[in-house]
Amino acid sequence: MDSNATSFLQSLHNPLLDGTHTSHIERQNSSSPTVIVIGAGISGLSAARVLYDASFKVILLESRDRLGGRIHTDYSFGYPVDLGASWLHGVCNENPLAPLIRSLGLTLYKTSGDNSVLYDHDLESCTLFDINGHQVPQQLVVEVGDVFKRILKETERIRDEHTDDMSILQAIKFVLDGHPELRQQGVANEVLQWYICRMEAWFAVDADMISLKMWDQENVLCGGHGLMVQGYDPVIKTLAKDIDIRLNHRVTKICDGFNKVMVMVEDGRNLIADAVIVTVPLGVLKANLIQFEPKLPEWKVSAISDLGVGSENKIALQFDEVFWPDVELLGIVAPTSFACGYFLNLHKATGHPVLVYMAAGRFAYDIEKLSVESAANFVMLQLKKMFPHATEPVKYVVTRWGTDPNSLGCYTYDKVGKPEDLYDRLREPVGSLFFGGEAVSMEHQGSVHGAYSSGIMAAENCQKLVLERLGNIEKLQLAPYRSSIHETSIPLQMSRI
């Protein structure tokens, strides 16, 4: 333990900080309780918003030079393109983000109906090609899609028959061994692999790593999926309004004295608060980039270790003209799911001439091994197989979520054979430390609204503890900001071009 941390924790044996242990500590001269929130993604922002609106002193620390975390609306094309989260999963009033989206007048482009549990799109709204550039008959795409649904239904029986967990890929193999009539040959098998590829994109990990026991346990809200036409940036900016946000503040250590907490920043600055809410990505926690003093208990450490983090990258291509058909997805089928691919057609949703190639799982990490230019060239080779006369892109942007030290992955998935209480343990407070982020939300893992709700929950639990500790529980106020936006009667604005 370094000298600052040692003297800080020793001083907490005294009810009053003696003020002598370091000159680098920033003191909060405020009569209001102080909470430090770490991570300015939507979970950290929602937590800070709740506390700020309840008259807490809030400081939000973010390691990046921007807000949003794994939400990143890029404007380099001259208009918004989301390079991270893009959809509202569950376009309905029950979605906790719906009131805020309504109040901002943001438009959603609906890409699926209620029956789309594993995908962002209705699977019929796509055009598929084989690796030689020949279009796959749409009837075959629909027929194989129905077969895939039957295969997934049969995996439920495999789950019931086996007490031990296995991967969804292994379960699919069991199904096909027991039902040879469901096996596909030739191009039909390549289409089946494409459906598996889309399933892998939902979890951001390969099918041989997805838990059979847990893959369908997520509570998907009704209303289908809606693409944020103007991007998520307006939501981020609204949540951040008036909050004390400090960018380029990378937290390296958190010392919990239980009545006070000291947060150490990379440049040597230290801050003291009554409590801390940690909303950094699970990948950052798994990499031990933040030290905890005292060390986190084993039940918390094992929860961090046993949850998986998947990755998905985007290569966004801007063109002068549209040379592709007016469908939502352009897909490439292949003999293995790893070799399959697909493009999201943003022109269909936003009117802008942009295609976004999306790569998940091991393939996402392989993309990151390439230079930005090489990644764009690889994607253009795929596109030119489908459209030999495709023009070169005017601009392109390539993400690297898996190796970005601020994220180290995209979102959580359930590893094979792991306990079911991991999310509860990850969410559980430790002393004066509270935890938020998409990874603590079992029912809505990997979703923006899950991360948003987890931040609110962490803030409310933190608020209650701090006020109880200070003897001010009668002053408990819960988020007037949230209650006011829930009162709006403006409907969600939908489009389906």
Side-chain angles (χ1 to χ4, degrees), residues 142-197:
V142 174
E143 290 173 359
V144 176
D146 290 337
V147 171
F148 187 52
K149 291 175 184 176
R150 290 172 57 193
I151 292 172
L152 291 181
K153 184 66 177 175
E154 283 295 320
T155 65
E156 296 177 15
R157 179 181 56 81
I158 301 297
R159 179 167 53 197
D160 293 340
E161 293 175 354
H162 293 76
T163 55
D164 292 336
D165 195 13
M166 67 180 73
S167 73
I168 188 68
L169 184 63
Q170 187 177 357
I172 289 173
K173 290 178 179 177
F174 273 122
V175 170
L176 295 180
D177 286 343
H179 296 272
E181 74 278 5
L182 296 179
R183 289 185 177 276
Q184 304 298 299
Q185 304 296 326
V187 176
N189 179 60
E190 294 184 1
V191 175
L192 178 62
Q193 296 303 316
W194 187 81
Y195 281 114
I196 294 174
C197 167

Side-chain angles (χ1 to χ4, degrees), residues 371-423:
S371 68
V372 171
E373 182 180 9
S374 296
N377 288 339
F378 167 79
V379 171
M380 282 305 300
L381 286 175
Q382 310 307 305
L383 195 59
K384 287 183 176 179
K385 287 178 182 177
M386 296 186 283
F387 309 105
H389 302 295
T391 59
E392 291 298 316
V394 179
K395 291 182 181 178
Y396 50 81
V397 182
V398 180
T399 67
R400 299 178 182 278
W401 292 108
T403 53
D404 183 336
N406 302 295
S407 58
L408 296 176
C410 284
Y411 42 87
T412 310
Y413 72 91
D414 295 289
K415 291 183 181 179
V416 175
K418 297 303 179 182
E420 296 181 22
D421 67 340
L422 297 178
Y423 300 92

Side-chain angles (χ1 to χ4, degrees), residues 330-384:
L330 299 165
I332 304 164
V333 305
T336 66
S337 65
F338 183 85
C340 293
Y342 64 99
F343 292 84
L344 169 65
N345 174 19
L346 283 188
H347 185 260
K348 178 79 169 169
T350 69
H352 300 304
V354 175
L355 293 175
V356 181
Y357 186 84
M358 303 173 78
R362 295 185 183 98
F363 188 31
Y365 287 99
D366 285 347
I367 288 288
E368 297 194 31
K369 296 173 184 176
L370 302 175
S371 68
V372 171
E373 182 180 9
S374 296
N377 288 339
F378 167 79
V379 171
M380 282 305 300
L381 286 175
Q382 310 307 305
L383 195 59
K384 287 183 176 179

Side-chain angles (χ1 to χ4, degrees), residues 2 12 37 52 57 106 108 116 119 132 136 147 155 161 199 201 225 242 288 296-297 315 329 371 376-377 406 477:
D2 61 41
L12 292 178
V37 180
Y52 178 89
K57 168 72 176 177
L106 299 177
L108 293 160
S116 186
Y119 312 101
N132 296 315
V136 179
V147 171
T155 65
E161 293 175 354
M199 181 182 191
H225 307 281
D242 297 327
N288 296 314
L296 293 176
I315 297 94
L329 279 185
S371 68
N377 288 339
N406 302 295
Q477 303 173 37

Side-chain angles (χ1 to χ4, degrees), residues 377-493:
N377 288 339
F378 167 79
V379 171
M380 282 305 300
L381 286 175
Q382 310 307 305
L383 195 59
K384 287 183 176 179
K385 287 178 182 177
M386 296 186 283
F387 309 105
H389 302 295
T391 59
E392 291 298 316
V394 179
K395 291 182 181 178
Y396 50 81
V397 182
V398 180
T399 67
R400 299 178 182 278
W401 292 108
T403 53
D404 183 336
N406 302 295
S407 58
L408 296 176
C410 284
Y411 42 87
T412 310
Y413 72 91
D414 295 289
K415 291 183 181 179
V416 175
K418 297 303 179 182
E420 296 181 22
D421 67 340
L422 297 178
Y423 300 92
D424 293 335
R425 282 192 267 147
L426 193 60
R427 182 171 54 246
E428 188 72 18
V430 177
S432 297
L433 308 182
F434 296 80
F435 295 82
E438 60 82 21
V440 310
S441 175
M442 178 178 179
E443 289 192 334
H444 305 293
Q445 66 193 75
S447 69
V448 177
H449 68 271
Y452 174 79
S453 297
S454 76
I456 292 174
M457 181 184 298
E460 291 176 346
N461 291 336
C462 173
Q463 184 182 13
K464 182 177 180 182
L465 175 80
V466 170
L467 291 179
E468 283 178 342
R469 187 182 288 162
L470 297 176
N472 294 330
I473 191 63
E474 70 278 0
K475 295 181 181 179
L476 185 65
Q477 303 173 37
L478 291 184
Y481 174 82
R482 276 200 304 139
S483 61
S484 66
I485 61 175
H486 272 279
E487 290 170 5
T488 179
S489 61
I490 306 169
L492 283 170
Q493 297 190 36

